[in-house]
């Protein structure tokens, strides 16, 4: 084999898991290379809300919540329902807080616990009412120097300009004075920082997913760890049953790069590979409904399969209802909109079918469960009224008091967004039975009087009520009464797919017979998730991606001591 270059550890992909792994590998003395397919580093991780689900983390005491390894293990075992080996759950619970505390202490990634962001299944054993979801503190992008222009852009900016932080999010949408003050403060900080705006119109202080990725990249840059952009991995190279390198494409040429201690696949899921979606996911399905990074096309999964890896959880995704937005490369996620008062989801028969305020994966699972020959709920409809429109956003469409209908991009109307003066008129526009829709709305409105949803228990626990409006007795419920009425077409979208190369507690990739493929590791959405078919809480994709990336680097260094 003619090698063009040689490293100890090659990381394929540049999301949060990849970068955490590269930091650990470099610290352990492995000469490390990061390969990124696109011209930007960061992947979906940079586009994300940046929540990190880290049970038993170092900052929970500050927010007054007591956690333990035992509670976290009990919770994960309960929600994963026997689908994930205990050893993998234990490895996650043990390593995640250690990694985050270490990064925090050394100033690599400064993080804080969000006190009121509760686990998604608050009634499960071991669940906590907050604190396990963490966020990274804002990071000044100027510190990245030239690398700043290669950081994957995010769409999660206020007015497309101003960065946000996750701990403000529920207050921002709650309608409380405090929430309004927090939003105003961010706008003022941005507006008054005139020197910063002379450099860039967008906030220089990064928030959400970008503020997870950027400091990790900064640390790697400090230690001169190379990151090759526009360099997709194409194939794994195997010698004597061991992965020993990667074939990389650079400017149309194939380059062979040796990896003495191992290769970590961290190249995301198959969000935008339509053929794989149709092969594995429930149908109908479309990559257009995904909010994930467009370059996540399942490459790592295919490469792993070619060297004998078995796959797991391929029929699942990190589901989220999404909206098609004209002119946007990816779909918009609707994480909190479904919880807001004055709106409901209905299927093609005009009936509700799910607790709209439940975890987003469950809402989309409900769309698929309800979908059948006699009714369509993929897509379904979000029906809302003028009260909703006045006080709540829909994706990046601001409340009408800030962005009246005439200022909404005309391409939305009669495509993914409809409006009529009566419910009957709306029903006719979207092709659902008017009488049934009226009946559904009347019944739902009657529940709003008591705040008790007798059909789906909307807003029935603290997780459901995390997003809502404070002025309502059930913060997620308000009647649909004020014309004009609206309907938004809701797709069975996702923030990434979940299944991939099956891995053990050491992040090693496994064959069908359970044996380890020497030299091959995986983390993030190209690996089988430690969450199984569930979703522990906000940050349950990024937390594990970073943790198993970190574990992979430790395993590679430990198993291959002669190479360093
Ligand atoms: P990515 O971060 O997407 O990184 C994969 C990288 O690999 C990409 O840069 C891609 O270009 C590159 N790549 C692909 N193929 C190749 C190849 N052949 N060679 C080299 N490189 C390749 N999760 C949370 O936990 N908390 C949140 O708050 C959260 N909010 C979200 C909000 C939004 C809007 C979205 C879209 C997602 C959100 N998620 C969140 C989900 C989370 O972002 C993803 O699950 C996570 O980023 C996946 O990490 P990853 O490392 O697997 O993939």
């Amino acid at each position: 084999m003619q090698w063009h270059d040689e490293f100890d550890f090659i990381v394929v992909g540049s999301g949060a898991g990849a970068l955490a792994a590269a930091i650990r590998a470099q610290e352990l003395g492995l000469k490390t290379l990061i390969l990124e397919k696109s011209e930007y580093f960061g992947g979906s991780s940079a586009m994300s809300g940046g929540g990190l689900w880290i049970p038993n983390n170092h900052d929970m005491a500050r927010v007054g919540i007591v956690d333990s390894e035992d509670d976290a293990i009990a919770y994960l075992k309960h929600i994963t329902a026997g689908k994930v080996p205990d050893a993998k759950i234990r490895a996650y619970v043990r390593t995640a807080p250690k990694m985050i505390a270490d990064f925090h202490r050394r100033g690599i990634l400064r993080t804080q616990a969000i006190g009121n962001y509760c686990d998604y299944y608050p009634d499960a054993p071991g669940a906590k009412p907050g604190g396990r979801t963490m966020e990274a503190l804002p990071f000044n992008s100027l510190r990245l120097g030239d690398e700043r222009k290669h950081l994957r852009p995010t769409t999660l900016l206020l007015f497309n300009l101003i960065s946000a932080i996750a701990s403000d999010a529920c207050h921002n949408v709650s309608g409380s004075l405090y929430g309004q003050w927090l939003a105003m403060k961010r706008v003022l900080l941005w507006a008054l920082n005139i020197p910063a705006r002379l450099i860039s119109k967008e906030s220089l202080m990064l928030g959400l997913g970008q503020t997870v990725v950027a400091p990790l990249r900064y640390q790697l840059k400090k230690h001169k760890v190379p990151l090759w952009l526009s360099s997709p991995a194409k194939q794994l190279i195997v010698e004597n049953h061991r992965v020993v390198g990667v074939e990389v494409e650079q400017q149309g040429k194939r380059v062979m790069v040796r990896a003495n201690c191992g290769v970590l696949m961290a190249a995301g899921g198959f969000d935008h590979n339509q053929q794989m979606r149709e092969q594995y996911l429930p149908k109908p399905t479309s990559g257009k409904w995904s909010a994930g990074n467009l370059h996540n096309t399942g490459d790592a999964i295919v490469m792993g399969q070619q060297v004998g890896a078995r796959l797991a959880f391929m029929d699942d995704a990190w589901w989220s209802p999404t909206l098609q937005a004209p002119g946007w490369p990816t779909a918009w996620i609707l994480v909190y909109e479904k919880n807001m008062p004055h709106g409901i989801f209905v299927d093609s028969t005009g009936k509700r079918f799910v607790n709209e305020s439940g975890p987003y994966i469950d809402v989309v699972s409900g769309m698929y469960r309800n979908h059948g020959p006699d009714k369509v709920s993929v897509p379904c409809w979000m029906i809302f009224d003028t009260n909703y429109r006045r006080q709540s956003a829909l994706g990046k469409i601001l409340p009408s008091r800030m962005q009246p209908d005439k200022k909404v991009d005309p391409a939305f109307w009669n495509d993914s967004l409809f409006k009529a003066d009566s419910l009957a008129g709306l029903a006719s526009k979207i092709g659902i039975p008017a009488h049934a829709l009226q009946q559904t709305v009347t019944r739902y409105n009657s529940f709003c009087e008591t705040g008790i949803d007798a059909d789906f228990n909307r807003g029935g626990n603290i997780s459901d009520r995390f997003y809502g409006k404070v002025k309502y007795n059930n913060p997620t419920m308000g009647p649909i009464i004020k014309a004009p009425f609206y309907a938004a077409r809701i797709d069975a979208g996702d923030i990434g797919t979940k299944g991939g190369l099956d891995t053990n507690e050491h992040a090693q990739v496994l064959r069908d017979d359970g044996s380890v493929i020497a030299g091959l590791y995986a983390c993030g959405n190209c690996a089988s998730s430690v969450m199984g078919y569930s979703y522990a809480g906000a940050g349950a994709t990024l937390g594990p991606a970073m943790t198993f990336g970190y574990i992979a680097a430790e395993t590679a260094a430990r198993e291959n001591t002669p190479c360093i």
Side-chain angles (χ1 to χ4, degrees):
M1 174 71 63
Q2 171 79 39
W3 297 105
H4 295 92
D5 221 329
E6 183 172 344
F7 291 84
D8 294 326
F9 193 57
I10 296 182
V11 179
V12 180
S14 64
L19 301 183
I23 289 175
R24 189 65 182 144
Q26 183 273 334
E27 284 170 352
L28 293 170
L30 302 185
K31 187 183 169 202
T32 300
L33 168 69
I34 304 162
L35 297 172
E36 168 53 48
K37 179 182 185 177
S38 71
E39 68 274 39
Y40 294 110
F41 66 89
S44 291
S45 306
M47 298 157 68
S48 78
L52 309 172
W53 194 79
I54 310 291
N56 198 23
N57 69 64
H58 65 274
D59 200 36
M60 287 181 80
R62 184 186 59 83
V63 295
I65 293 171
V66 178
D67 200 358
S68 66
E69 282 193 4
D70 285 349
D71 280 354
I73 289 167
Y75 179 64
L76 283 175
K77 280 172 82 162
H78 181 85
I79 64 166
T80 54
K83 301 278 188 228
V84 178
D86 281 8
K88 198 162 164 179
I89 290 177
R90 285 178 192 283
Y92 177 52
V93 168
R94 209 171 35 243
T95 313
K98 178 176 140 251
M99 168 192 70
I100 287 291
D102 182 50
F103 281 178
H104 180 80
R105 190 174 38 80
R106 295 193 290 139
I108 295 171
L109 184 70
R110 298 213 154 267
T111 42
Q112 65 181 9
I114 306 179
N116 60 341
Y117 216 153
C118 60
D119 289 341
Y120 284 170
Y121 302 95
D123 302 324
K128 296 291 160 188
R132 284 176 174 165
T133 295
M134 305 190 83
E135 66 179 339
L137 301 180
F139 178 86
N140 190 332
S141 60
L142 289 180
R143 294 175 73 192
L144 282 177
D146 271 0
E147 277 293 278
R148 198 165 74 94
K149 60 176 185 289
H150 297 301
L151 171 62
R152 179 160 290 287
T154 177
T155 56
L156 302 181
L157 293 172
L158 227 52
F159 308 115
N160 294 329
L161 290 172
I162 305 169
S163 60
I165 58 170
S167 46
D168 285 1
C170 76
H171 301 293
N172 290 155
V173 301
S174 70
S176 69
L177 283 176
Y178 179 60
Q180 288 172 33
W181 154 242
L182 288 175
M184 206 189 316
K185 194 171 88 179
R186 294 213 81 71
V187 176
L188 280 175
L189 283 173
W190 171 83
L192 295 175
N193 195 345
I194 292 162
R197 280 194 296 122
L198 291 176
I199 300 170
S200 160
K201 276 196 175 157
E202 273 182 26
S203 304
L204 290 176
M205 290 306 276
L206 304 173
L208 304 178
Q210 286 189 323
T211 199
V212 175
V213 165
L216 299 178
R217 176 69 190 111
Y218 174 72
Q219 174 74 6
L220 289 162
K221 199 171 161 249
K222 244 177 29 189
H223 291 277
K224 301 195 171 30
V225 175
L227 190 163
W228 295 357
L229 294 171
S230 306
S231 302
K234 287 292 181 183
Q235 208 176 321
L236 293 166
I237 303 167
V238 177
E239 275 175 9
N240 300 324
H241 309 290
R242 181 186 170 86
V243 172
V244 293
V246 182
E247 190 178 322
V248 185
E249 189 180 285
Q250 276 195 319
Q251 293 167 339
K253 293 205 181 94
R254 292 294 168 110
V255 178
M256 305 297 175
V257 190
R258 190 168 171 92
N260 292 319
C261 300
V263 174
L264 170 66
M265 302 308 248
F270 53 99
D271 322 357
H272 294 282
N273 182 324
Q274 186 60 25
Q275 188 261 320
M276 284 178 82
R277 290 185 78 98
E278 276 166 28
Q279 182 178 354
Y280 295 110
L281 295 179
K283 281 168 269 308
T285 184
S286 170
K288 286 192 188 138
W289 305 342
S290 175
N293 171 31
L294 287 172
H295 295 88
N296 293 357
T297 50
D299 306 7
I301 300 173
V302 173
M303 283 185 266
Q305 266 185 305
Q306 286 164 352
V307 299
R310 81 173 172 211
L311 307 182
F313 304 121
M314 291 295 283
D315 52 347
D316 204 14
W318 306 103
W319 304 115
S320 166
T322 54
L323 180 74
Q324 288 297 298
W328 286 74
T330 51
W332 287 353
I333 52 168
L334 302 182
V335 165
Y336 62 83
E337 291 83 344
K338 60 190 185 47
N339 297 45
M340 292 295 127
H342 309 291
I344 52 171
F345 281 16
V346 300
D347 63 21
S348 63
T349 68
K351 293 199 177 119
R352 286 178 74 210
F353 57 91
V354 76
N355 165 16
E356 297 90 342
S357 66
Y360 26 95
I361 57 159
D362 293 345
V363 172
V364 175
S365 296
M367 288 169 71
Y368 277 113
R369 219 175 18 251
N370 181 67
H371 188 77
D374 54 338
K375 58 193 163 182
V376 175
S377 46
V378 181
C380 68
W381 295 100
M382 178 168 149
I383 307 292
F384 53 103
D385 74 353
T386 291
N387 285 321
Y388 179 102
R389 183 73 190 96
R390 265 191 60 70
Q391 62 185 26
S392 297
L394 180 73
K396 291 180 90 76
I397 302 175
L398 297 171
S400 61
R401 60 196 152 84
M402 298 158 86
Q403 186 181 13
D405 286 351
K406 60 177 185 296
K407 293 264 164 95
V408 172
D409 184 340
F412 273 105
W413 297 109
N414 300 319
D415 180 40
S416 47
L417 195 56
F418 296 78
K419 176 181 173 183
D421 287 334
S422 66
L423 279 174
L426 190 68
S428 134
K429 279 194 171 177
I430 60 175
I432 65 174
H435 182 63
L437 180 63
Q438 184 62 67
Q439 266 187 341
T440 300
V441 167
T442 306
R443 183 169 169 81
Y444 166 76
N445 287 350
S446 73
F447 297 155
C448 295
E449 285 164 25
T450 57
I452 294 169
D453 172 9
D455 288 342
F456 298 100
N457 197 24
R458 177 172 170 149
N461 65 42
I462 50 167
S463 170
D464 287 12
R465 290 193 295 270
F466 178 70
Y467 289 118
K469 295 281 181 199
V470 284
K471 67 180 180 191
Y472 296 79
N473 57 354
N474 178 334
T476 74
M477 290 181 68
I480 298 169
I481 38 175
K482 193 163 170 58
F485 299 96
Y486 299 82
R489 198 187 55 240
I490 305 297
D491 292 315
D494 59 77
I495 55 174
T497 55
K498 185 191 273 188
L501 309 174
D502 200 7
T503 52
N504 64 13
E505 67 274 24
H506 306 296
Q508 295 165 305
V509 177
L510 304 173
R511 294 192 182 84
D512 266 341
D513 63 5
S515 62
V516 165
I517 301 180
L520 188 60
Y521 304 87
C523 73
N525 290 353
C526 65
S528 62
S529 173
V530 71
M531 296 292 149
Y533 286 107
S534 195
Y535 201 138
T541 90
L542 289 171
M546 290 176 66
T547 304
F548 284 102
Y550 188 92
I551 289 175
E554 295 199 329
T555 312
R558 193 174 58 241
E559 302 268 301
N560 299 281
T561 28
C563 81
I564 52 175

